[in-house]
Amino acid sequence: MSQGKLITMDEFTIQETRKFPQATGELSALLRDLGLAGKIINKQVRKAGLVDILGKQGATNIQGEEQMKLDVYANETLINILKNSTECAGIASEENDIHVSYEDTFSANSKYVVLFDPLDGSSNIDVNAPIGTIFAIYRRVSELGKPCTEADFLQAGNRLMAAGYIIYGSSTMMVYATKVSVNGFTLEPSIGEFCLSHPNIRIPENGKIYSINQGNTIKYSEGMLSYLNFCMENNKEESRPYSHRYIGSMVADLHRTLIKGGIFIYPADKSSPKGKLRLQYECNPMTFIVEAAGGKGTTGYCNILDVTPTELHQRVPIFIGSKNMVNKVLEFVKEKEAVA
Ligand code: P6P
């Protein structure tokens, strides 16, 4: 990155497109559309705390419009922006039971479909903790010129074309991965542009932080308990090799893991035998990003990206982060777990 010159995400994606003569720029255009949606959502997220002053959730604003819950607002924003995109045939969302096919001719001839969690961790809004939008981009498998089908949204993660997230934290950042690299862009509010701030992100092979909701310990398997004991046993030494951090917002916990190294775990437990987090719009996109940065993501029994989806909202256990830490936890989980 040239010293001092800000490179906007648009400039960066155009530069990247030029490296591949066969590239058409369609994926870049779709990423720009997602960046626009992120900026619009960001504007509302930043004043979320003021809703109580401006009017209770569910109240009507000065134009008489129903005050939307933020996650509904984020969902509507993404659906509308992508409907007007020239590159998206349809979407699937954590907020919608089934996929949405855009019916206009232009969209029916578009190459890509997008899955997203519009506002992950939204329960953290009222405590001002970081939240995020997660997205996954696939090339459609259905016939061009016709509406997209459910099969377009049930592709394994190893068929992803790109994936990313927007984190609404102390700053607003968009991080996205293609098969080539992972890059992070920080929103510069004075010009309203995402600017390259984290070029070619690589996750450290090792880390010191393990991130898991230890409140669920009583429900964990023997293998998981052994791993947690391993982490805590090691802390008896002066070196304190492990620290525990858990924000309770997947995008925030994984962004820290990506930048600093570490491991994030949401395992299966007695009350959630398939885990809690959703394969298609949480675990697959985040694993695509982490693996593109040199890390690893697994269900405990196979790579997350190799899971063949059977339903749009299915859940999987997830162990994701620094490669050496994920391999270490597998010594415990594989060793002690009955095959799920
Ligand atoms: P728990 C937020 O509700 C979320 O979907 C993820 O963002 C987060 O990692 C997880 O659930 C937190 O779940 O059970 O620890 O509150």
Side-chain angles (χ1 to χ4, degrees):
M1 188 162 81
S2 55
Q3 191 61 29
K5 180 185 180 314
L6 281 180
I7 298 176
T8 68
M9 192 173 82
D10 288 3
E11 289 171 317
F12 180 82
T13 53
I14 291 166
Q15 284 171 10
E16 289 300 291
T17 303
R18 288 201 178 120
K19 290 178 186 172
F20 303 94
Q22 76 282 8
T24 60
E26 291 161 312
L27 188 57
S28 301
L30 187 50
L31 288 164
R32 283 201 296 275
D33 293 331
L34 287 160
L36 172 59
K39 286 186 263 189
I40 294 170
I41 295 166
N42 176 65
K43 187 168 172 292
Q44 293 303 317
V45 166
R46 292 299 168 205
K47 63 180 183 183
L50 293 174
V51 166
D52 288 344
I53 299 169
L54 301 179
K56 289 285 177 215
Q57 290 286 6
T60 56
N61 64 19
I62 192 90
Q63 291 82 16
E65 293 158 352
E66 179 71 17
Q67 193 77 31
M68 280 185 178
K69 276 170 59 77
L70 264 183
D71 45 8
V72 174
Y73 175 83
N75 195 50
E76 295 297 319
T77 298
L78 281 156
I79 290 174
N80 293 331
I81 292 278
L82 292 172
K83 183 174 184 176
N84 295 325
S85 164
T86 53
E87 313 307 340
C88 183
I91 64 94
S93 167
E94 192 253 0
E95 295 281 335
N96 294 59
D97 291 344
I98 60 171
H99 71 276
V100 174
S101 297
Y102 297 136
E103 299 300 335
D104 62 285
T105 308
F106 218 97
S107 300
N109 283 292
S110 299
K111 241 191 273 185
Y112 297 107
V113 292
V114 181
L115 295 93
F116 51 76
D117 183 351
L119 207 58
D120 177 72
S122 48
S123 57
N124 286 295
I125 291 170
D126 48 9
V127 295
N128 210 11
I131 52 181
T133 298
I134 308 171
F135 60 87
I137 301 174
Y138 287 95
R139 190 187 293 272
R140 58 188 290 193
V141 294
S142 57
E143 189 180 339
L144 282 180
K146 293 184 177 173
C148 55
T149 65
E150 189 185 37
D152 293 318
F153 301 95
L154 291 181
Q155 298 182 61
N158 53 33
R159 293 176 58 85
L160 277 163
M161 294 301 292
Y165 57 84
I166 296 128
I167 179 169
Y168 312 100
S170 45
S171 67
T172 299
M173 272 191 74
M174 179 161 168
V175 175
Y176 75 79
T178 60
K179 290 188 173 71
V180 179
S181 64
V182 186
N183 292 281
F185 304 83
T186 299
L187 184 63
E188 170 44 84
S190 65
I191 58 171
E193 291 285 357
F194 283 108
C195 297
L196 185 64
S197 54
H198 298 68
N200 195 26
I201 297 173
R202 303 296 294 165
I203 184 172
E205 286 202 345
N206 281 302
K208 283 179 164 290
I209 297 170
Y210 66 102
S211 185
I212 187 170
N213 182 344
Q214 294 200 166
N216 294 329
T217 302
I218 192 167
K219 298 186 280 184
Y220 286 160
S221 66
E222 190 189 332
M224 267 314 304
L225 294 175
S226 303
Y227 176 69
L228 291 177
N229 287 332
F230 162 78
C231 292
M232 287 181 271
E233 280 304 305
N234 277 270
N235 274 355
K236 283 183 179 160
E237 296 153 23
E238 278 314 301
S239 63
R240 256 174 49 78
Y242 291 103
S243 292
H244 178 252
R245 294 280 186 280
Y246 191 72
I247 300 168
S249 175
M250 185 187 198
V251 172
D253 281 315
L254 271 174
H255 184 67
R256 181 202 57 244
T257 302
L258 185 67
I259 302 298
K260 289 184 172 287
I263 187 169
F264 172 84
I265 301 172
Y266 210 106
D269 61 40
K270 294 185 177 76
S271 54
S272 309
K274 294 287 183 194
K276 172 183 182 181
L277 300 178
R278 309 286 187 169
L279 172 63
Q280 286 306 82
Y281 39 79
E282 291 175 330
C283 298
N284 263 337
M286 296 313 265
T287 300
F288 182 84
I289 296 163
V290 165
E291 295 206 347
K296 184 171 183 173
T298 174
T299 63
Y301 306 102
C302 74
N303 185 302
I304 294 255
L305 301 182
D306 293 336
V307 175
T308 301
T310 53
E311 54 180 90
L312 189 56
H313 300 287
Q314 75 186 73
R315 305 168 193 266
V316 289
I318 184 167
F319 304 77
I320 183 173
S322 297
K323 189 177 289 188
N324 294 350
M325 293 185 79
V326 174
N327 288 334
K328 187 67 187 174
V329 72
L330 286 177
E331 292 174 18
F332 295 86
V333 168
K334 268 191 187 293
E335 179 187 298
K336 300 210 189 294
E337 286 295 289
V339 176

